[in-house]
Amino acid sequence: MSEKNPTRRGDAVAPQGEVRDEVAAFVKKVGQLARPNADEDGRLLFAMDATMSRQPTWDMAMSLQAGMFQAIPKDSALQVQLIYFRGLGECRASKWVLDAAALARLMSTIACQGGNTQIGKVLAHARDEHRKRRIHAVVYVGDAIEESVDALCAKAGELGLMGLPLFVFQEGRDSRVEAAFREFARLSKGAYARFDSSAPQQLADLLKAVAAYASGGRAHLKLQSSGAARALLTQIEGR
């Protein structure tokens, strides 16, 4: 983790540079997929670092994200929005979708690109979306920080005051990244976990646990039998 290049761009979620036409077209198209009774659905913001070091895990997450929807009880529903950052200041969010296949198709069009982290933009976007209509949880998957940790902590704390928990999943074992990610989870009243990219079931269980929480709170999370679910529940109940 490095703070030698703090992010000084604005918090607005807007790409800087060209995005492939098919990606932009699909982002526009998936806006038609929300259910008519969307006010009854749980809402989860799925945020990913799509810089170059993330390519192996991006591919894994693309194959596992459908499990988030499979974890939802039949009498519930979950809307998911994908936000990712990569390259030179590009940070893009999809529309809210209620379709695992649509989300997978969107992710499949995105190629990781080298660049610095833009976690501040993700947290600002989460704040702004939550003000429009409640988001029940934010998932963030990443392996590095190249921004001011203090500034990010302030944003995470703001989400905590708004009742929006961060579930922060770390790839790798960078101790400085871990310390910061744990603090983001604590300040937002969420939870932290590390996963091993060589053991995809770990990430699958974590995503399912958060999906259950987003769709029905702690009661639905308690229905999940995995060790990952129990560990997240223990952290949440300890906040």
Side-chain angles (χ1 to χ4, degrees):
M1 178 174 64
S2 170
E3 297 179 38
K4 63 182 181 180
N5 293 312
T7 297
R8 296 183 180 177
R9 304 182 184 92
D11 284 336
V13 178
Q16 296 180 14
E18 294 297 320
V19 185
R20 287 183 298 176
D21 291 341
E22 63 268 27
V23 176
F26 187 78
V27 168
K28 182 177 180 180
K29 180 180 177 181
V30 296
Q32 307 301 319
L33 299 175
R35 291 183 5 166
N37 60 337
D39 287 342
E40 301 176 7
D41 300 340
R43 299 215 306 165
L44 184 151
L45 180 63
F46 187 44
M48 294 191 72
D49 176 341
T51 55
M52 192 59 67
S53 64
R54 305 288 301 122
Q55 184 68 58
T57 308
W58 181 275
D59 292 342
M60 179 174 68
M62 182 174 64
S63 66
L64 297 177
Q65 55 80 28
M68 293 191 298
F69 294 83
Q70 295 169 2
I72 308 306
K74 293 182 179 179
D75 60 348
S76 302
L78 180 67
Q79 288 191 37
V80 178
Q81 182 184 65
L82 171 68
I83 181 170
Y84 66 93
F85 57 80
R86 63 181 183 177
L88 300 177
E90 180 184 339
C91 184
R92 178 170 287 272
S94 74
K95 299 294 185 180
W96 290 93
V97 302
L98 193 64
D99 182 347
L103 190 61
R105 287 195 299 271
L106 175 60
M107 293 180 71
S108 70
T109 66
I110 301 166
C112 293
Q113 296 179 359
N116 289 333
T117 62
Q118 300 175 63
I119 303 170
K121 289 184 180 180
V122 169
L123 301 184
H125 176 75
R127 175 198 63 206
D128 294 344
E129 286 289 299
H130 187 73
R131 284 174 175 167
K132 296 175 185 175
R133 187 155 65 85
R134 183 184 178 189
I135 299 174
H136 298 85
V138 176
V139 169
Y140 177 74
V141 183
D143 65 348
I145 301 176
E146 290 149 337
E147 301 158 76
S148 166
V149 173
D150 288 339
L152 295 177
C153 283
K155 285 184 169 67
E158 185 178 5
L159 296 185
L161 292 174
M162 298 172 72
L164 177 53
L166 286 169
F167 292 83
V168 188
F169 301 147
Q170 178 189 0
E171 180 189 10
R173 294 185 173 274
D174 187 313
S175 60
R176 297 180 67 198
V177 172
E178 177 180 348
F181 280 5
R182 285 186 180 277
E183 187 66 359
F184 300 164
R186 184 188 71 81
L187 289 167
S188 67
K189 300 180 176 61
Y192 162 90
R194 179 190 291 118
F195 69 94
D196 183 347
S197 59
S198 66
Q201 188 58 44
Q202 289 179 304
L203 183 57
D205 288 343
L206 290 167
L207 294 177
K208 288 179 182 179
V210 178
Y213 176 83
S215 66
R218 299 181 186 186
H220 283 183
L221 180 54
K222 289 178 179 178
L223 297 177
Q224 298 294 303
S225 60
S226 70
R230 291 193 296 271
L232 293 180
L233 181 63
T234 297
Q235 289 189 56
I236 294 171
E237 292 183 332
R239 300 300 185 196

